[in-house]
Amino acid sequence: MLNPQSNDHVYSISQLNRAVKNQLENHFSHIWLTGEISNFSQPVSGHWYFSLKDDSAQVRCAMFRGQNYRVPFKVRDGLQVLVRAKVSLYEARGDYQIIVENMLPAGDGLLKQQFEALKMKLAEKGWFAQHLKKQLPPFCRRVGVITSSTGAALHDILHVLRRRDPNLHVVIYPSAVQGKDATQNIVEMIHLANLRNEVDVLIVGRGGGSLEDLWCFNEEAVAEAIFHSALPIISAVGHEVDVTIADFVADVRAPTPSVAAELVSRDRNELRQQLNALHQQLDMALDRLFAEKSHLVNQLKMRLLQQHPQHKLAKQQQRFQHLSFALEQSMQQTLRFKNQYFQDVNQRLKQVPLNYHIQHQKQNIHNLARLLEHSLQKNFQEKQFRFITACEKLHQLSPLKVLARGYSLSKDSQGQSIKSVQQLHVGETLITEMADGKVMSRIEKIEKTGI
């Protein structure tokens, strides 16, 4: 006959469940899980109850209202998610469960983890160090662009360069910037540009997109190619809010491709102002030179007047004439050269068909506005149709419709639906929901049918 010894501790069920709960919560305080959502429900309390499953197992989960309001996407059955949670136990039933604190779509969540891991790794290797970054040349004559030859980013870059600096030469190194071949393409184009050494600076980038679309710029191979490039590289990926590993490794990060184009180009109006300023400086320098030479001539005159011998006077006069002639020739030659240079620059500036470009861009803006209006109207109609369809489906599935036919729904004090008398205890409070209200009752007696 088995009997507990005097030193054996006899647990009650409550004590056992509480002890197991403490062990679970202490050992698995915060973990990351990934899986598929199933049996998702959201009662009137606002809490979420669901299961996470994989191919061979599942676990019950709860996410309380204080945490689930921060989830930025629609949660539904079949959705793959990444959650940060702690392991616990529901003492009343002895059920093992997961308490979820944060939730992300599985794809983006894993990519963000990979992004942070690579960022930390490269930072430790010193690839982000500011003192290793190369300076952009103060005046670029040839610019290389590594991007898709059909993308919007190339169009934006070329548009800015034509507007600001039409004489700037552009070399395009076409590359895929999305998909499985993008990483290798970008690396090859960076190596090719360095091998040819035909440009002063490289712009590497593309237009906006999702984290997955921009992922090739978060690959270590691309980061390594940028870090070892002898040419200065400007990273211009996506929009201002998009940040990639390439941005940290590059010598300069531009918020958009258009801004990158502005960084490597000189505005022609600014050049014209600088040219005018240089012309004024030249005039002042010539005036100063003439004044200095005149002062020198006057000094020579004074010396000649102080020397009585006629042959010395004649010699000094001859030297004076020679210097005056040389000075005049030098000044005239300098003025002719500078005037010719100024006329050439003005002529090149006048040849730019500015009005044509303005009219062309106005037409582009008009066409884009029409496309945008059509797209918005189509999108609104699609969303409206989906909303109406969803409302109809929701109405068909509404429990209130079932209650309206004379049925009722009973729940325990925890808000759980009653499916069996095995869930109930004498003295427990019941909540019975009907079509026109709720009834609170207390159990006096339980009769089992024996089924």
Side-chain angles (χ1 to χ4, degrees), residues 416-432:
Q416 300 294 322
S417 297
I418 303 303
K419 300 180 180 179
S420 169
V421 295
Q422 300 294 336
Q423 299 175 242
L424 303 177
H425 305 283
V426 173
E428 185 174 358
T429 300
L430 292 182
I431 303 172
T432 304

Side-chain angles (χ1 to χ4, degrees), residues 245-278:
I245 296 296
D247 293 334
F248 293 106
V249 183
D251 301 296
V252 175
R253 186 247 176 179
T256 63
S258 297
V259 174
E262 292 180 357
L263 291 175
V264 300
S265 60
R266 299 284 295 272
D267 185 76
R268 57 182 176 181
N269 293 327
E270 179 184 349
L271 289 174
R272 185 184 289 112
Q273 293 175 359
Q274 292 180 358
L275 183 61
N276 291 335
L278 290 174

Side-chain angles (χ1 to χ4, degrees), residues 378-394:
K378 182 178 178 182
N379 187 53
F380 174 77
Q381 291 175 351
E382 291 177 354
K383 298 294 185 183
Q384 186 180 44
F385 175 76
R386 292 178 182 176
F387 178 73
I388 293 173
T389 303
C391 288
E392 292 176 352
K393 291 181 179 180
L394 182 62

